[in-house]
Amino acid sequence: MKTLPTAKEFWDSTCITHPDKSPGDIMIEFAKIHVQAALEAAVQKYTHDETHVSDNPAYLEQSILNAYPLENIK
């Protein structure tokens, strides 16, 4: 997985490169980056664990929910 910016890094760089953006717009952009990364991680985990999924739907749910740790959002 690629390294994502922390909230502070993203805020600082966006404020410098786009001083006209509102705080809400900056927060939305940051959230989109992490949602996209979370979805990509879930697909990657699903592909890796595909053999277990068909046998256990609860495993699929937990696999998806745990694919992108909240600790990745800083």
Side-chain angles (χ1 to χ4, degrees):
M1 179 170 49
K2 62 184 175 184
T3 303
L4 299 174
T6 65
K8 182 168 179 15
E9 291 168 346
F10 188 78
W11 180 271
D12 291 347
S13 69
T14 303
C15 286
I16 290 169
T17 58
H18 300 286
D20 57 324
K21 285 198 179 209
S22 72
D25 287 342
I26 294 171
M27 292 170 60
I28 289 168
E29 283 185 44
F30 179 76
K32 285 179 180 179
I33 289 170
H34 279 276
V35 167
Q36 185 63 40
L39 293 171
E40 289 171 6
V43 166
Q44 197 170 37
K45 178 124 176 91
Y46 174 79
T47 303
H48 176 73
D49 294 346
E50 194 171 350
T51 56
H52 302 290
V53 172
S54 60
D55 299 338
N56 188 350
Y59 181 85
L60 172 60
E61 179 180 349
Q62 287 307 306
S63 178
I64 290 169
L65 292 175
N66 294 321
Y68 192 77
L70 293 179
E71 292 81 28
N72 287 355
I73 303 172
K74 301 173 186 167

